Amino acid sequence: MGYVAVKGGSDAIHNSLELVEFYRLKDAVQPLEIEQIKGQLRLAVDKVMGEGGLYSQEYAAIALKQAEGEVFEAAFIIRAFRTTLQRRFYSETLNTREMFVKRKISASFREIPGGQILGPTRDYSQRILDSSKAFETIEDVKKFVEHFKLSVDETQLQEIIQYGKVIDLLANEGLLKPINPKEDRKLVDITREAIKFPAPRSARLQMLARAETGGLMAMGYSSMRGFGSVHPTVGELRYGQVPVKLKDPSGRIRYIGKIEVTEAEMIASTSVSKKTELPSYTVGYGLCFGQNDTKVICMGILDTTMRSPDASMPANDQEFVLYHTEGIESMGFTNHLKLPHYVTFQSGLKNIREAIERKTANPSQPQPEPSKA
């Protein structure tokens, strides 16, 4: 494209950034502390970590503060920061069966291993605005926390256990569709090599894990409304902490810490094309950093749709789904429209003016269509 310099140059850009900082601080109120953001805006922090592709609550909180709460911009900052970091190791595959469960539900079975655990969720709230939050004080916070701790009966606390998966119930009955031996299951790293279509499942899931939640929701919702092939049921949704392990140079597996993740396994029935085939279920998978139920549910839906490519259904088209849910790329290209397009627009404008002049001079003579710039 034909870009030209904007009058004012670096001075104008510097002044613009100064003005942004002025708007952030002009009311001269107490600055937000990073610990406050991490503690009281945890879901926003989780979203920035997921879309930025870096598990660091502190850096995500700093980015949110810097971006004035704009999640897109904060994720962009984190994604850029991530590229500056040295990669020393690859972790072992996370085993979510080892999860310390904080939340565990199923919409497919009432009775599941370990029972339904609602955990922290607003799913059952009435979404009524609580105006008392406007007058909340540190004393109110301490009082609530102390009261909550006193209400916990420590004698009822169980030892930490690992719960069986809901999909095991189906697998034990032979109701899960076998893995297609022709499916491309090689492991790729989308941060090191450009994605190519058709993309292997590992690449698709990586892109979905970093995708923008709203974009995923739009695509997943489109599938459930008929613009895709899947309307599944939540087999199991989990939120909790999983251990991270890596192999050291000597070959030993080392535990290095734990991260919080949300995981969903979405169950959908498969279509039977031959009378000899038995009906079965397939499982779509979703996992992301932090707590984000909506994201992993939609990941599970789209994981299933993209395993059955169909160009007539947007939610089944790999390229359509993966490129248009990539929030950083989408925001970057959308906002690049604000950059100077003077040459290309003026070229089109010149063609339009010339066409109008020719038509005005010879109104009875048919005129060629103006070329598109």
Side-chain angles (χ1 to χ4, degrees):
M1 295 184 180
Y3 298 129
V4 296
V6 181
K7 187 176 181 180
S10 59
D11 287 341
I13 293 172
H14 173 75
N15 292 336
S16 175
L17 296 176
E18 287 277 296
L19 192 58
V20 168
E21 194 69 359
F22 171 73
Y23 278 136
R24 187 177 74 85
L25 302 173
K26 63 184 175 64
D27 292 330
V29 295
Q30 184 70 25
L32 284 171
E33 296 181 6
I34 300 306
E35 289 300 317
Q36 288 179 307
I37 298 173
K38 285 170 55 179
Q40 298 186 53
L41 299 178
R42 63 181 183 88
L43 298 183
V45 168
D46 289 349
K47 189 174 289 188
V48 171
M49 290 194 304
E51 296 173 15
L54 177 68
Y55 191 90
S56 172
Q57 294 172 329
E58 183 175 7
Y59 286 136
I62 294 172
L64 269 172
K65 180 177 181 178
Q66 178 181 341
E68 300 178 79
E70 169 55 63
V71 173
F72 267 123
E73 188 70 27
F76 201 154
I77 293 168
I78 288 297
R79 188 83 66 91
F81 175 69
R82 183 184 183 277
T83 64
T84 68
L85 303 178
Q86 183 179 0
R87 180 175 300 179
R88 293 188 175 92
F89 302 98
Y90 281 90
S91 72
E92 296 295 295
T93 303
L94 294 181
N95 183 1
T96 56
R97 292 179 183 272
E98 298 179 351
M99 180 185 292
F100 174 76
V101 171
K102 297 182 179 181
R103 170 166 163 76
K104 177 173 69 73
I105 62 169
S106 173
S108 303
F109 296 92
R110 181 176 180 179
E111 302 296 334
I112 62 175
Q116 307 264 1
I117 301 174
L118 297 187
T121 179
R122 293 183 176 83
D123 286 349
Y124 314 102
S125 66
Q126 295 179 309
R127 272 76 174 194
I128 296 174
L129 182 65
D130 183 2
S131 57
S132 67
K133 293 291 188 291
F135 310 102
E136 194 173 41
T137 64
I138 186 61
E139 287 74 20
D140 295 329
V141 173
K142 291 180 178 179
K143 182 178 179 181
F144 172 82
V145 172
E146 291 173 2
H147 174 74
F148 182 85
K149 289 180 177 179
L150 289 173
S151 67
V152 177
D153 186 354
E154 296 186 3
T155 62
Q156 298 297 317
L157 296 179
Q158 300 178 350
E159 61 180 280
I160 297 175
I161 60 175
Q162 296 176 5
Y163 298 103
K165 289 292 194 80
V166 169
I167 59 170
D168 292 340
L169 302 176
L170 298 176
N172 293 337
E173 291 187 53
L175 297 177
L176 291 183
K177 184 179 180 180
I179 295 173
N180 183 357
K182 297 182 180 179
E183 184 177 65
D184 188 350
R185 298 181 65 81
K186 67 175 179 287
L187 182 63
V188 300
D189 183 349
I190 62 168
T191 67
R192 295 298 179 93
E193 54 185 293
I195 190 169
K196 298 178 182 179
F197 297 102
R201 191 181 184 208
S202 65
R204 301 196 303 266
L205 287 174
Q206 286 175 66
M207 288 197 70
L208 292 176
R210 300 202 309 174
E212 198 271 324
T213 302
L216 286 181
M217 183 173 64
M219 294 302 301
Y221 182 51
S222 76
S223 176
M224 293 187 284
R225 291 195 64 248
F227 293 88
S229 58
V230 176
H231 191 134
T233 304
V234 175
E236 186 172 16
L237 186 146
R238 289 185 173 197
Y239 161 61
Q241 296 175 326
V242 292
V244 179
K245 303 174 184 177
L246 58 81
K247 186 178 296 184
D248 67 17
S250 68
R252 290 177 295 181
I253 302 299
R254 301 283 192 173
Y255 167 79
I256 62 170
K258 54 192 175 184
I259 62 174
E260 289 193 342
V261 299
T262 308
E263 176 189 52
E265 291 168 329
M266 306 297 294
I267 299 174
S269 58
T270 60
S271 58
V272 177
S273 56
K274 299 178 182 178
K275 292 183 179 180
T276 55
E277 290 182 353
L278 296 175
S280 60
Y281 290 101
T282 186
V283 177
Y285 188 75
L287 183 141
C288 71
F289 290 150
Q291 184 175 8
N292 194 336
D293 294 1
T294 300
K295 183 170 189 173
V296 294
I297 287 173
C298 293
M299 280 184 67
I301 295 172
L302 297 172
D303 175 41
T304 304
T305 60
M306 288 189 290
R307 298 179 89 170
S308 303
D310 186 343
S312 66
M313 294 183 175
N316 288 59
D317 187 299
Q318 289 187 17
E319 184 174 354
F320 191 89
V321 171
L322 297 180
Y323 277 163
H324 296 99
T325 57
E326 169 48 57
I328 306 303
E329 293 284 348
S330 300
M331 184 185 75
F333 196 83
T334 301
N335 283 281
H336 105 280
L337 296 175
K338 295 182 288 187
L339 294 174
H341 288 66
Y342 305 142
V343 173
T344 52
F345 181 78
Q346 292 298 323
S347 175
L349 180 60
K350 181 175 180 291
N351 289 336
I352 292 290
R353 285 169 172 166
E354 289 176 351
I356 292 174
E357 288 176 1
R358 288 194 298 268
K359 182 67 175 177
T360 303
N362 301 287
S364 61
Q365 185 176 351
Q367 301 294 322
E369 290 289 330
S371 61
K372 295 182 179 179

